[in-house]
Amino acid sequence: QVQLVESGGGSVQAGGSLRLSCGAAAWTYLPNFNYMGWFRQAPGKEREFVATISTDGTTNYADSVKGRFTISRGNTKNTVFLQMNSLKPEDTAMYYCAAGSPHENNRYSSYGYNYWGQGTQVTVSS
């Protein structure tokens, strides 16, 4: 069951930008949780952490995207954005929105999140 819905993916050339959005699916009740975040999965690879934001606004990023991606919360509850600049071909992946209250040890692991979207494809060409 999909509880979150992503949008904003697409195809861009290297150096370009995209902005991903995520919100609760229609008619879906979501409990309060401490973190929302973004993960990505390229073909043949495991799902990997990209960025998270806590309820107090604290952000964390994977080293591979620091300085290029920015995560932010929307004014509406359970909405989050990912601004992606200076995109590289290695950023090509399916991007997933996630929400949950992970233990500190699982904060950067997909296992720490209970609620997921269906994913939005990002393709960066060289």
Side-chain angles (χ1 to χ4, degrees):
Q1 182 180 358
V2 173
Q3 299 104 344
L4 300 169
V5 178
E6 306 97 334
S7 63
S11 297
V12 296
Q13 291 190 326
S17 299
L18 285 172
R19 179 177 169 87
L20 305 184
S21 301
C22 170
W27 308 110
T28 297
Y29 167 76
L30 292 175
N32 293 325
F33 33 71
N34 296 332
Y35 286 84
M36 292 192 75
W38 292 92
F39 288 76
R40 67 186 182 186
Q41 188 168 18
K45 294 188 176 181
E46 293 187 355
R47 191 168 297 189
E48 66 175 7
F49 163 74
V50 176
T52 61
I53 186 167
S54 66
T55 50
D56 67 2
T58 301
T59 57
N60 284 282
Y61 298 92
D63 288 342
S64 58
V65 306
K66 276 181 183 176
R68 300 188 297 122
F69 291 11
T70 302
I71 188 171
S72 61
R73 281 187 178 269
N75 293 327
T76 306
K77 183 183 178 183
N78 300 335
T79 60
V80 67
F81 305 100
L82 186 68
Q83 178 67 43
M84 305 186 294
N85 298 329
S86 303
L87 282 161
K88 305 176 181 179
E90 50 263 44
D91 294 319
T92 295
M94 185 73 78
Y95 282 70
Y96 296 90
C97 177
S101 298
H103 187 273
E104 184 176 357
N105 292 340
N106 272 341
R107 199 159 295 164
Y108 310 128
S109 167
S110 60
Y111 294 106
Y113 295 80
N114 306 100
Y115 302 94
W116 292 88
Q118 82 288 353
T120 185
Q121 178 68 37
V122 171
T123 302
V124 185
S125 58
S126 57

